[in-house]
Amino acid sequence: MKRLVTTTAAVGAATLGYAVGVERRNWTLRTASVPVLDDDAYPIRILHISDLHMLPGQKSKQRWVAALDELEPDLVVNTGDNLAHRRAVPHVLRALGPLLNRPGVFIFGSNDYYAPKPKNPARYLMPKGRKKRIHGNHLPWQDLRAAMIERGWHDLTHRRTAFDVAGQRIFAAGVDDPHLRRDRFEQIAGPVDAEVVLKLGITHSPEPRVLDPFASEGYDLVLAGHTHGGQLRIPGIGALVTNCELDRSRARGISRWGADMWLGVSAGLGTSPYAPARFACPPEATLLTLVPRSSATTRKDTTARRTTRRKARNEVS
């Protein structure tokens, strides 16, 4: 019995060490093709970035994200939770760096508005009605917003807009963070120009109460973050929680929502500084290739490790 306890403790310690020291810096690119365009449309490449939870000392994360510009995406979508520290704004901008020269859209999440605070991990397993929201100090999200707008990105917080991407017209709209119950879908409801090749929706938390109206309004694709893919996944089982009302099977990746809409949920690139661990769920960005619907089936999500030129040991925290 003593040997069993010792072995179990050793395995647990090794798993925790891997989750904290290795996997949370195992930057990964997820790719998928999604058949959402009209037959006469050209493919559109979307880079989806979410949940950076940036701290000033996270140098390897900043380098890796900046290097994603080499993928030459047609559009960058940022679905929030960029900040984890009041001095993180310039470090987020350093990470986004060259990507800010490309067309981009964004909304914010709870950890853009409020700093993270220590929380009991068991609260994520509690029924939603018994959870009490815990907010930290206010973060300088206005500074981040101003910098992204200055570089030409569109703030889609309760906004609708149409613009050209790769020579084609798309329509995009977003809501404020449903996790904080700031979503007001009625502010973006209404007819969409039929001449666009894509109707894109974005939200931080993929709450079904927000996804359903996007679907009923005829959106082709909605992108979200927030879930961290479950953050700690059990091989063969998957995510235990999503931290929202979305079912666990959709915690990351591409899935159908209703008959006509697709949903893309990013597992994100960061963690709370008070829970700096990932297991069977590496930090990720997603490159989506949107193709005509006549392309039949969606290619299954794939992931690939993209390394930076310098080793991750330069990252702190």
Side-chain angles (χ1 to χ4, degrees), residues 11 14 18 32 41 61 80 171 195 215-216 295:
V11 171
Y18 169 79
K61 184 193 295 185
F171 177 89
E195 297 303 316
S216 66
S295 299

Side-chain angles (χ1 to χ4, degrees), residues 5 32 61 76 95 97 115 118 120 133 139 151 156 159 170 175 183-184 202 235 292 299-301 306:
V5 172
K61 184 193 295 185
V76 183
N120 182 352
R133 288 187 175 84
L139 291 174
R151 298 292 294 274
L156 294 184
R159 287 180 171 85
I170 76 168
V175 295
D183 53 296
R184 302 290 184 270
I202 64 173
R299 190 177 65 219
K300 186 177 180 180
D301 286 3
R306 282 176 51 89

Side-chain angles (χ1 to χ4, degrees), residues 45-287:
R45 289 156 55 87
I46 294 180
L47 178 64
H48 182 193
I49 295 174
S50 194
D51 298 87
L52 284 167
H53 293 280
M54 189 69 75
L55 293 169
Q58 294 179 322
K59 304 299 184 184
S60 68
K61 184 193 295 185
Q62 294 164 32
R63 289 192 299 270
W64 189 84
V65 173
L68 292 174
D69 185 64
E70 298 170 5
L71 298 171
E72 300 184 346
D74 300 310
L75 175 67
V76 183
V77 175
N78 182 314
T79 50
D81 271 11
N82 297 277
L83 306 174
H85 193 279
R86 62 186 177 86
R87 292 197 298 269
V89 169
H91 304 280
V92 171
L93 295 175
R94 184 175 297 119
L96 295 177
L99 293 169
L100 291 169
N101 295 321
R102 299 185 181 278
V105 296
F106 66 93
I107 39 87
F108 289 126
S110 58
N111 283 134
D112 293 304
Y113 299 122
Y114 301 105
K117 293 191 70 174
K119 299 175 184 178
N120 182 352
R123 72 186 299 276
Y124 292 103
L125 300 175
M126 295 170 56
K128 187 173 182 179
R130 295 180 59 187
K131 295 180 183 179
K132 181 180 179 180
R133 288 187 175 84
I134 302 173
H135 298 318
N137 295 327
H138 290 273
L139 291 174
W141 62 271
Q142 298 97 328
D143 296 342
L144 181 60
R145 177 182 184 272
M148 291 195 289
I149 289 177
E150 184 178 3
R151 298 292 294 274
W153 281 19
H154 299 278
D155 179 3
L156 294 184
T157 305
H158 294 145
R159 287 180 171 85
R160 305 155 39 106
T161 187
F163 54 98
D164 291 335
V165 170
Q168 301 178 101
R169 197 74 170 165
I170 76 168
F171 177 89
V175 295
D176 206 348
D177 187 12
H179 184 63
L180 296 177
R181 294 196 171 274
R182 294 189 177 199
D183 53 296
R184 302 290 184 270
F185 191 89
E186 65 274 11
Q187 295 186 24
I188 60 169
V192 176
D193 186 349
E195 297 303 316
V196 299
V197 300
L198 173 71
K199 295 184 283 291
L200 172 69
I202 64 173
T203 175
H204 177 63
S205 178
E207 295 287 355
R209 72 171 187 273
V210 173
L211 301 178
D212 286 342
F214 269 124
S216 66
E217 293 261 331
Y219 282 75
D220 302 301
L221 172 67
V222 171
L223 298 180
H226 178 69
T227 66
H228 293 194
Q231 192 163 322
L232 303 176
R233 298 172 66 96
I234 298 177
I237 296 178
L240 297 180
V241 296
T242 62
N243 197 24
C244 63
E245 293 298 313
L246 189 72
D247 59 279
R248 294 182 295 109
S249 67
R250 302 174 189 263
R252 68 180 183 187
I254 300 294
S255 62
R256 282 277 198 180
W257 190 270
D260 301 311
M261 193 177 84
W262 291 90
L263 170 65
V265 179
S266 171
L269 282 159
T271 65
S272 166
Y274 300 106
R278 282 180 175 261
F279 186 77
C281 189
E284 68 178 37
T286 308
L287 183 66

